Amino acid sequence: MKEKIAKKIKHIILIIWLVLCIFPLYWLLAFSLKNNNEIFNGNPLALPKVWQFENYKSAMSVGNVLVYFRNSIFVTALTIVIVIITSVMASYALSRLIFVGRKMLNILFVLGLTIPIHAALLPVFLILQKIGFLNSYASLIIPYSAFALSMAILICNSFMAGIPYELEDAACIDGCGTLGIFFRVIVPLMRPALSTIAIFTFLQAWNELMFATVFISDSQHRTLTVGIQTLAGTYSTNWGPIGAALAIATFPTIVVYLFMSNKVQQSLIAGAVKG
Amino acid sequence: MDKVRHNKGAAIILLLPAIILFVSIIIIPIICSGYYSLTEWDGIRDKVFIGFSNYRELFEGEVLRGSIKNMLLLALCAVGIQLPLALVFAILISGGIKGEKMYMTVFFIPVMLSTVVIGQLWLKIYNPSHGLLNGILSMIGLENYADSWLGNQGKVLAAVFVPMIWQYVGYHMLLMYAGIKSINSEIIEAAKIDGANGFQIACRITIPMLMPVLEVCTIFAVTGAFKSFDLIYILTGGGPAHASEVPSTLMFTEIFQKNHYGVGSAIAIFIILICFTSAIIIKRIFKRWEV
């Protein structure tokens, strides 16, 4: 009996938080489909009476949300590719090759983890300004890659530690050189690490706001974060289209997450515990 | 094999891209920031070297002191509210409850949301005339408690902290959950046989064995609070009248609105240093607790 009550209390606590997690999203979805009259005068918790799909249309056409979405995908994808290539390469050298300064380099990359992105904002801005790289995808991709690198190298190192040395020795006897071993033995075995790195880098690059606000001012190159910020500024009194833009920015990631939540969670655990 | 491992050429080729990225985007800019912070510079005229005057001016000024206070308060709330909430949820969920998987998945959704989306969403929740919060308050007959929230100097800080804490509870819970799951279940079984109840198991076994994870979480929570920018920038920009200012938002206004490059860089250096030292201090503290 006592146990039953305890179980009920547990569920009640968890369900309260569950509602707090989902409710803002429900509310967003509901008001993204309402007209202003219903949003401002109706019951805030109710479903829309007349479903206003026009909100989505105007978010896409006038608000350019699809362009921003495409930009975000492009910037994030390229960042992930760069981070994966550079971190796997560096990690092999850092964990398996022997050279002077290896230890110091390892420490340097670990220290990179604690460095906040603010530190680079002004200098990188000034450099980009000088070489005329503001308002380009590269102005985001390169800094994002640099700031994701530390975590990626740490993740790689921990995966690399699980690869037995004997495999390399065998490949060496078969006549592989250092780079041959890297490409034929190490790279194929690092595949499980890649999704972990990709997920970490995705979360960082997809959500980044500070660099994107400062480095990008034309609407052509805006990523979703900045795009939504500007959109919210211009449509401050017309909630429906903003809601639609927020929904477009949010629900694809949520759906993808729901399909692979296991993988995402395991990756983040691996990254944090090993990092 | 020895020759293969000592291949200097290969090491350089493999490391070069990472080092170029790291040095050009992180190391050199930090050195630049350090140098700028010692100058008076508006980005147009020549830099004038003024030593540590920027730092002195900052620490004597009310605004930065206020922002540091807010930052520390945020860190305190993260450690004092966010982590305990996460710990309670992690313990409850990991104890073999129905719907374990579902709770985990849903609690983690806020982490997956973009901060801009969360910011814009909460702007609408707090909206004084049409917001969700005031709407719900008036629905349940508490319209007297309706407020302008983000416009109220006394309440803005709490209003800003709520979504910040809300967003990352799921993340810490995930790490703690994984930590609890990796504790040897035989220990807990043995305690149960000895007659320990759930609360005793949590306090005497789970939490002490979770210390390494709690250390990681504390470092993330504290440095995360020190770095926080996005949500405050979106919700209030540091206002009204600096009531919700933190160092990073102050840095942003100093640099990009007032063109005080020197002062802004000094704040940037301050943020780096405080993140660094806090991580070290937290590690020290936990070392003393771990057996």
Side-chain angles (χ1 to χ4, degrees):
Chain A
M1 190 59 211
K2 213 172 147 195
E3 211 152 84
K4 245 188 185 163
I5 295 173
K7 205 163 235 174
K8 270 221 176 99
I9 295 173
K10 277 185 197 174
H11 272 294
I12 289 171
I13 297 173
L14 292 174
I15 285 170
I16 290 175
W17 192 258
L18 191 85
V19 171
L20 288 176
C21 284
I22 298 185
F23 187 74
L25 286 179
Y26 160 75
W27 185 63
L28 166 64
L29 204 58
F31 89 71
S32 77
L33 289 164
K34 290 177 180 174
N35 59 28
N36 257 5
N37 182 31
E38 234 187 296
I39 296 170
F40 294 155
N41 303 321
N43 177 351
L45 308 180
L47 280 169
K49 286 193 195 84
V50 190
W51 294 57
Q52 296 277 337
F53 287 105
E54 290 90 75
N55 288 341
Y56 282 79
K57 252 189 230 149
S58 57
M60 284 189 236
S61 58
V62 188
N64 277 331
V65 174
L66 288 185
V67 177
Y68 304 151
F69 201 86
R70 203 196 57 209
N71 288 343
S72 267
I73 289 182
F74 181 73
V75 168
T76 308
L78 219 62
T79 304
I80 291 174
V81 171
I82 292 175
V83 169
I84 284 179
I85 293 173
T86 48
S87 65
V88 172
M89 284 168 66
S91 169
Y92 179 61
L94 288 169
S95 48
R96 292 298 166 93
L97 300 184
I98 298 157
F99 55 91
V100 185
R102 183 172 84 152
K103 212 166 183 186
M104 215 195 68
L105 268 179
N106 259 317
I107 293 173
L108 194 69
F109 282 119
V110 173
L111 281 182
L113 268 187
T114 44
I115 294 173
I117 188 162
H118 315 61
L121 180 65
L122 178 62
V124 173
F125 171 72
L126 294 173
I127 295 168
L128 291 171
Q129 199 177 37
K130 202 174 259 171
I131 58 175
F133 258 46
L134 290 175
N135 284 322
S136 68
Y137 295 121
S139 71
L140 296 180
I141 293 169
I142 296 170
Y144 290 175
S145 305
F147 275 94
L149 200 58
S150 282
M151 193 56 162
I153 288 179
L154 270 178
I155 295 169
C156 278
N157 282 352
S158 69
F159 273 89
M160 200 83 73
I163 298 176
Y165 284 77
E166 287 79 13
L167 285 178
E168 288 161 76
D169 297 341
C172 175
I173 292 162
D174 288 346
C176 266
T178 315
L179 292 178
I181 293 175
F182 174 70
F183 283 111
R184 300 209 185 143
V185 180
I186 300 294
V187 170
L189 286 172
M190 286 301 283
R191 223 171 274 154
L194 303 190
S195 55
T196 303
I197 298 170
I199 287 165
F200 256 99
T201 312
F202 172 85
L203 282 177
Q204 225 171 322
W206 186 263
N207 293 332
E208 205 284 327
L209 176 66
M210 196 193 265
F211 281 9
T213 311
V214 176
F215 299 164
I216 305 289
S217 54
D218 70 348
S219 66
Q220 219 184 326
H221 293 94
R222 257 179 220 146
T223 52
L224 258 184
T225 47
V226 193
I228 287 175
Q229 275 294 92
T230 22
L231 200 68
T234 36
Y235 279 95
S236 56
T237 50
N238 199 357
W239 285 25
I242 301 174
L246 292 176
I248 295 171
T250 306
F251 286 97
T253 20
I254 298 282
V255 170
V256 172
Y257 161 69
L258 289 179
F259 274 111
M260 42 189 278
S261 63
N262 252 338
K263 184 74 218 165
V264 173
Q265 292 176 358
Q266 273 159 15
S267 297
L268 291 178
I269 292 166
V273 173
K274 285 161 183 167
Chain B
M1 192 61 208
D2 242 21
K3 219 173 94 195
V4 169
R5 289 211 192 285
H6 283 95
N7 188 338
K8 272 209 193 82
I12 291 171
I13 292 171
L14 291 170
L15 280 166
L16 209 55
I19 290 180
I20 289 177
L21 258 184
F22 201 77
V23 170
S24 62
I25 302 294
I26 298 181
I27 308 275
I28 294 178
I30 287 181
I31 297 170
C32 289
S33 284
Y35 170 59
Y36 298 159
S37 75
L38 303 176
T39 65
E40 189 175 328
W41 187 30
D42 60 3
I44 302 160
R45 273 165 291 179
D46 284 340
K47 302 180 195 75
V48 182
F49 188 84
I50 53 167
F52 286 94
S53 303
N54 284 330
Y55 292 92
R56 209 172 303 132
E57 192 186 316
L58 272 175
F59 284 102
E60 279 163 8
E62 288 285 312
V63 179
L64 183 81
R65 274 203 222 157
S67 76
I68 294 176
K69 213 175 81 195
N70 289 344
M71 177 192 80
L72 292 175
L73 204 62
L74 177 59
L76 198 72
C77 286
V79 175
I81 299 173
Q82 193 178 47
L83 295 185
L85 266 180
L87 184 62
V88 168
F89 295 149
I91 290 175
L92 289 184
I93 291 177
S94 62
I97 201 162
K98 219 170 148 195
E100 183 174 334
K101 193 89 229 359
M102 178 200 60
Y103 285 125
M104 282 291 294
T105 306
V106 173
F107 285 11
F108 200 70
I109 285 179
V111 184
M112 297 297 299
L113 297 181
S114 156
T115 320
V116 175
V117 170
I118 292 180
Q120 289 298 337
L121 204 55
W122 284 81
L123 270 180
K124 305 264 178 283
I125 291 175
Y126 286 134
N127 187 294
S129 32
H130 311 298
L132 179 64
L133 187 55
N134 284 349
I136 290 179
L137 284 176
S138 73
M139 263 169 72
I140 55 176
L142 295 172
E143 48 275 270
N144 291 341
Y145 288 92
D147 205 294
S148 61
W149 306 113
L150 297 173
N152 182 333
Q153 279 194 45
K155 289 183 182 159
V156 63
L157 211 52
V160 169
F161 285 0
V162 167
M164 296 178 102
I165 286 171
W166 170 79
Q167 184 180 11
Y168 283 108
V169 165
Y171 183 70
H172 294 295
M173 183 204 65
L174 176 72
L175 299 184
M176 294 174 186
Y177 171 87
I180 294 173
K181 282 287 172 185
S182 68
I183 294 173
N184 190 341
S185 59
E186 280 170 26
I187 302 174
I188 292 170
E189 285 306 316
K192 268 187 195 154
I193 292 166
D194 288 345
N197 62 31
F199 186 72
Q200 283 169 324
I201 292 176
C203 291
R204 302 271 174 82
I205 298 174
T206 315
I207 294 175
M209 292 194 76
L210 211 54
M211 277 303 168
V213 178
L214 294 180
E215 178 185 336
V216 173
C217 288
T218 312
I219 291 177
F220 280 173
V222 171
T223 53
F226 290 170
K227 288 188 226 177
S228 59
F229 169 80
D230 294 8
L231 261 178
I232 297 180
Y233 174 74
I234 296 164
L235 288 174
T236 66
H242 299 298
S244 62
E245 199 82 74
V246 289
S248 62
T249 53
L250 193 62
M251 175 195 90
F252 198 85
T253 14
E254 287 290 339
I255 294 177
F256 292 104
Q257 282 167 21
K258 299 188 186 159
N259 281 345
H260 292 167
Y261 285 9
V263 178
S265 299
I267 302 176
I269 295 293
F270 167 73
I271 296 172
I272 303 177
L273 288 179
I274 193 161
C275 283
F276 243 66
T277 37
S278 64
I280 294 170
I281 292 172
I282 292 166
K283 279 202 166 148
R284 284 266 163 82
I285 295 174
F286 270 89
K287 210 165 239 166
R288 208 176 292 166
W289 286 348
E290 278 160 31
V291 205

